[in-house]
Amino acid sequence: MAIVAPAGYGKTSLLAEWAEQDHRPSVFFPLEVWHEDPLLLVRDLLCALEKLEQLDARACEALAEFDADAAISVVLPTLATVLEALAHPLILILDDVDLLRSVGALHVLSAVAEHLAPGSQLVLASRASPSLPLGRLRAHGALLELGADELAMTREEAVSLLHGAGVKIGSDMLDVLLQRTEGWPAGLYLAVLCAREGPDTEAALANFAGDDRVVADYLRDEFLSGLAPEELEFLVNTSILDQLSGPICDAVLQTSGSASLLVRLSNSGLPLWSIDRGSERYRSHQLLREMLLGELRNTHPEHEAQLHLRACAWYVEEGELDSALAHAVCAGDPCLAGDLLWKHLPRCLAAGCNGLVQDWLEHFSLEELSTYPTLALSAAHSALARGDLREAERWGLVGVAALARSGSSTTAISLSTGITVIEAAVGREGMAPMGREAARAYALEEEDSPWRAIFSLLQGVAQHLTGDPGQAREHLKDGIHRGSLAAPPVETLCLSQLAMIAVEEGDWDQSADLIARAVRQIEHHDLDSYPTSALTFAISADVRSQVGHVDEGKRHARRAAHLLASLSDFIPWYEAETRIALARAALRLADIRTARSLLAEASQLARRMPDAVVFGGWLDDTWGLVDSAATNALVGSAALTIAELRILRFLPTHLSFREIGARLHVSTNTVKTQAHAVYRKLEVSSRSGAVARATEIGLLEG
């Protein structure tokens, strides 16, 4: 067995408890520096073993006769004879194996592992991987290995430690503490010490970090005190990196040889671990990194930004924009961060990472966001992605002003495209202008531009809503093709719009296939929390309910309603279309009142887009379905006629019968006759009673 973990992981305690539970006798043998001498190691080891049983006297005498210059090749056969002659199985625990580096001492350990009596078990405890040929044992399944991950405390163990120390905390704070310490027992105990220092335990633990004095002192004494100055400087200056590798450390430090230094430090017992099989990339324990970063900020605060900029440049060269952007943000360079964020934005939003975009933007002040057009327009598109149109338009205007002030032409074309996306998507001038603006912008973009997908969507929506489904199909198919890799949210909206066209044409099989593809993309790319996924779920609810999948239809209707509620005065055509689809789903699910409310809201939105002629037909058809469903709630002679339904809609208003007649171009007497017919069929005697009863059964909106 090999137990390898840095200090503070409870290796010795674990082995002591295990030895007490095992029926075999055990020998705990702590190694010292002088055991680098193989002969001293053999003699001390035999002395420890002899406490358990009488050893082979002749072999022991032979070993005693060897002088300090005896060849290890002569000593080992005699040692093997002693070990093989042991009468009883035992547990031999060798602690601090990392102290042994000499070839002779390692040969002794190998001999012990090979010749220990049958039924015995050798346990090696070390702060770093021992330099022993363990590969053969590992390959034959004869080696049990425990590392820091296995020795890290579980939630239950952490609770026990904290309660034993008199510290009681809530579940959320426990989760934070476990994440911050990574379950490191010593780290959890240090957190207890910090908590005891102040009157507010929760506050003390909330601020617990690697740069805390108690933690920093422990880390210095236990891990850093024995390092050479250049090794310590290396760790401090690379603490800005969440992952360490030879190439990036060389780039950040403007040096060479970092790869071999990382290997050496990893083998020195530091909480610095390889995170790949090739031992090319490493990470340090979070608390150690925080402590080192605090050291950097205290000793060379002006140096940190420069290190971040070098890391940013390296990641840009490697094409890793996420990491490059993170370092640009940490460097506090709004111009560089803005340029990288804008370049990265389409892919980031497409991957469902708008939360990360907002986190990056929060690093900058309002003045910086307003000064740099790339930051302002990134904020605009982030707002658009989360369904806040007002905020998107505001930041769009700020971006336009910042671009005009900057006079820069390096990103002017792409920024202009970003402005066009917002202006076109809103469609305040109508559907036809939206389509024309999207077509113009599409033509100006490069063939592989990630913006082309959204311009295809906008052209398709404009063509569809102005009554040209044939042309709409071509644009939407292009949007699906372009969005499948570069912009999955756009792809799902193109699929959803095509599903709506199929619904119009009565092709339910095709609509079900298209909307199922859209939902799968939303789930695959974790876009189900995006408010702009409301339309997809609304259409899916309508289609699923129509084809008999009622439970799924209900689930998607609830999801669509939840996302729709989170939109803040969003794009009118999008909200109208979503409400109509959701109203039809509500009808199929026998929720007439919800359908009526959604249609009333959709009707108001549709009036803002007079050239979206398709809305008129959708609304008339769906209102007709609402009226039919509502009147079906009445039976026999109680069914209302179309004329009576027209009168009923005016009863909740303040209009008199004469004014209602003028609106409907009929006489006052006709209105009175039809109103009294409504009262009779609803079994009420007054106008207010008719309104209350009609609302109750879904003929009127509540």
Side-chain angles (χ1 to χ4, degrees):
M1 177 189 294
I3 302 180
V4 180
Y9 274 93
K11 299 184 294 298
T12 303
S13 299
L14 171 65
L15 291 171
E17 290 182 22
W18 173 58
E20 286 181 7
Q21 298 296 320
D22 199 287
H23 67 278
R24 295 168 294 183
S26 61
V27 174
F28 187 86
F29 185 66
L31 293 163
E32 303 292 348
V33 175
W34 58 79
H35 289 137
E36 286 272 78
D37 182 327
L39 196 57
L40 290 178
L41 174 58
V42 169
R43 288 175 176 170
D44 286 353
L45 182 57
L46 292 180
C47 287
L49 290 172
E50 200 159 28
K51 293 177 181 178
L52 287 183
E53 65 175 84
Q54 189 69 34
L55 302 180
D56 186 317
R58 286 177 298 177
C60 289
E61 289 174 4
L63 286 171
E65 291 175 359
F66 293 132
D67 58 27
D69 296 325
I72 191 64
S73 60
V74 177
V75 175
L76 291 183
T78 306
L79 174 63
T81 301
V82 173
L83 295 174
E84 291 170 353
L86 290 173
H88 304 287
L90 56 82
I91 300 172
L92 176 57
I93 301 171
L94 303 182
D95 199 13
D96 294 325
V97 176
D98 50 287
L99 293 176
L100 302 187
R101 306 259 177 109
S102 71
V103 174
L106 295 175
H107 279 317
V108 171
L109 292 190
S110 297
V112 171
E114 186 174 350
H115 296 286
L116 205 58
S120 297
Q121 189 164 7
L122 175 65
V123 182
L124 306 177
S126 176
R127 294 189 178 189
S129 296
S131 302
L132 292 170
L134 302 177
R136 182 167 58 85
L137 293 174
R138 189 179 291 122
H140 287 84
L143 178 66
L144 174 63
E145 296 179 274
L146 299 178
D149 289 342
E150 290 77 21
L151 297 178
M153 281 190 159
T154 64
R155 184 182 181 86
E156 292 73 20
E157 290 168 340
V159 169
S160 177
L161 184 150
L162 292 169
H163 284 190
V167 176
K168 294 185 179 181
I169 57 175
S171 177
D172 290 344
M173 180 53 67
L174 178 62
D175 289 338
V176 170
L177 197 57
L178 279 171
Q179 184 274 331
R180 194 164 290 167
T181 61
E182 302 180 28
W184 183 30
L188 286 164
Y189 182 71
L190 292 171
V192 169
L193 297 181
C194 292
R196 287 174 172 172
E197 288 189 352
D200 189 336
T201 298
E202 292 272 346
L205 292 178
N207 295 322
F208 176 72
D211 57 357
D212 187 285
R213 177 184 55 79
V214 173
V215 184
D217 287 347
Y218 175 83
L219 292 172
R220 286 193 191 95
D221 293 343
E222 195 66 58
F223 297 111
L224 306 180
S225 59
L227 296 179
E230 62 272 15
E231 292 174 330
L232 182 57
E233 183 181 9
F234 173 89
L235 289 172
V236 169
N237 287 333
T238 58
S239 62
I240 64 157
L241 302 170
D242 56 357
Q243 289 188 10
L244 307 175
S245 69
I248 190 170
C249 291
D250 284 345
V252 168
L253 302 178
Q254 296 183 328
T255 186
S256 61
S258 297
S260 59
L261 181 53
L262 281 169
V263 173
R264 187 165 76 247
L265 289 170
S266 178
N267 291 332
S268 69
L270 281 172
L272 176 70
W273 300 285
S274 170
I275 56 176
D276 61 1
R277 290 188 178 276
S279 296
E280 294 180 352
R281 293 183 299 126
Y282 297 80
R283 76 167 188 89
S284 59
H285 191 286
Q286 180 175 326
L287 292 177
L288 175 61
R289 185 186 174 202
E290 290 171 351
M291 176 264 179
L292 294 167
L293 195 55
E295 190 80 9
L296 173 64
R297 289 168 178 167
N298 288 333
T299 56
H300 303 291
E302 74 291 343
H303 197 35
E304 183 184 357
Q306 184 61 44
L307 293 171
H308 277 297
L309 290 175
R310 291 175 190 166
C312 175
W314 188 86
Y315 278 118
V316 168
E317 188 70 23
E318 293 295 309
E320 297 184 34
L321 287 179
D322 281 355
S323 298
L325 181 53
H327 283 287
V329 169
C330 290
D333 189 326
C335 183
L336 176 60
D339 288 347
L340 286 171
L341 178 55
W342 183 249
K343 182 178 180 180
H344 186 50
L345 190 67
R347 184 173 65 84
C348 198
L349 294 180
C353 299
N354 193 30
L356 182 59
V357 172
Q358 293 176 55
D359 289 343
W360 284 330
L361 290 170
E362 286 176 1
H363 280 77
F364 299 100
S365 66
L366 285 176
E367 181 181 357
E368 288 170 327
L369 291 173
S370 302
T371 301
Y372 297 93
T374 49
L375 288 176
L377 288 174
S378 294
H381 281 268
S382 177
L384 190 66
R386 67 175 184 268
D388 191 338
L389 182 61
R390 185 172 299 174
E391 189 75 357
E393 289 187 297
R394 183 174 77 84
W395 280 114
L397 292 173
V398 170
V400 171
L403 181 61
R405 289 194 304 271
S406 70
S408 173
S409 60
T410 54
T411 56
I413 295 177
S414 66
L415 289 173
S416 177
T417 298
I419 295 167
T420 301
V421 169
I422 296 174
E423 293 175 343
V426 172
R428 293 207 183 278
E429 302 301 319
M431 292 296 98
M434 179 180 89
R436 289 194 296 270
E437 188 65 18
R440 182 188 67 80
Y442 181 97
L444 292 175
E445 286 297 297
E446 297 290 338
E447 173 61 28
D448 60 349
S449 168
W451 297 108
R452 273 198 161 189
I454 194 168
F455 289 133
S456 291
L457 167 67
L458 296 176
Q459 289 180 81
V461 170
Q463 294 285 356
H464 181 198
L465 297 184
T466 54
D468 190 349
Q471 282 292 319
R473 276 195 187 89
E474 297 306 313
H475 294 304
L476 294 171
K477 288 178 180 177
D478 183 64
I480 292 170
H481 170 70
R482 295 181 179 281
S484 60
L485 294 177
V490 177
E491 179 193 11
T492 63
L493 290 175
C494 289
L495 286 165
S496 303
Q497 202 70 28
L498 283 175
M500 283 291 279
I501 295 175
V503 167
E504 283 183 285
E505 297 173 347
D507 191 341
W508 292 102
D509 288 339
Q510 185 183 35
S511 65
D513 177 64
L514 289 165
I515 203 63
R517 287 172 57 192
V519 171
R520 282 197 299 271
Q521 283 294 80
I522 284 177
E523 293 172 347
H524 178 71
H525 293 283
D526 295 325
L527 302 172
D528 55 347
S529 62
Y530 265 39
T532 49
S533 295
L535 176 60
T536 300
F537 284 114
I539 297 172
S540 180
D542 181 26
V543 173
R544 294 296 183 208
S545 303
Q546 169 64 25
V547 299
H549 299 159
V550 175
D551 289 341
E552 193 172 5
K554 288 180 178 179
R555 182 165 59 86
H556 285 182
R558 288 193 297 270
R559 188 65 190 155
H562 173 74
L563 293 174
L564 187 62
S566 66
L567 294 170
S568 177
D569 190 22
F570 199 52
I571 301 168
W573 65 261
Y574 181 92
E575 288 207 53
E577 191 170 339
T578 303
R579 281 174 167 78
I580 293 171
L582 201 51
R584 295 198 302 215
L587 277 174
R588 301 188 201 285
L589 298 170
D591 188 351
I592 300 173
R593 182 172 298 181
T594 297
R596 186 179 291 278
S597 174
L598 288 164
L599 284 177
E601 294 167 356
S603 298
Q604 293 178 346
L605 291 163
R607 283 195 286 271
R608 294 157 61 180
M609 298 164 286
D611 62 343
V613 295
V614 170
F615 281 148
W618 290 354
L619 288 166
D620 288 344
D621 291 345
T622 313
W623 275 120
L625 293 173
V626 169
D627 290 340
S628 297
T631 54
N632 286 339
L634 303 171
V635 295
S637 61
L640 300 182
T641 66
I642 297 299
E644 290 164 352
L645 285 170
R646 293 171 65 198
I647 296 297
L648 177 62
R649 290 184 184 174
F650 283 98
L651 293 184
T653 69
H654 64 282
L655 298 176
S656 66
F657 284 167
R658 181 178 60 79
E659 292 169 326
I660 293 173
R663 292 284 184 93
L664 297 176
H665 306 290
V666 296
S667 68
T668 303
N669 285 334
T670 298
V671 174
K672 288 181 179 179
T673 300
Q674 292 173 346
H676 284 97
V678 170
Y679 299 167
R680 184 180 70 257
K681 291 180 179 180
L682 295 180
E683 299 179 344
V684 297
S685 59
S686 66
R687 183 170 178 172
S688 60
V691 171
R693 174 60 178 153
T695 301
E696 179 185 346
I697 64 175
L699 288 171
L700 290 174
E701 180 186 350

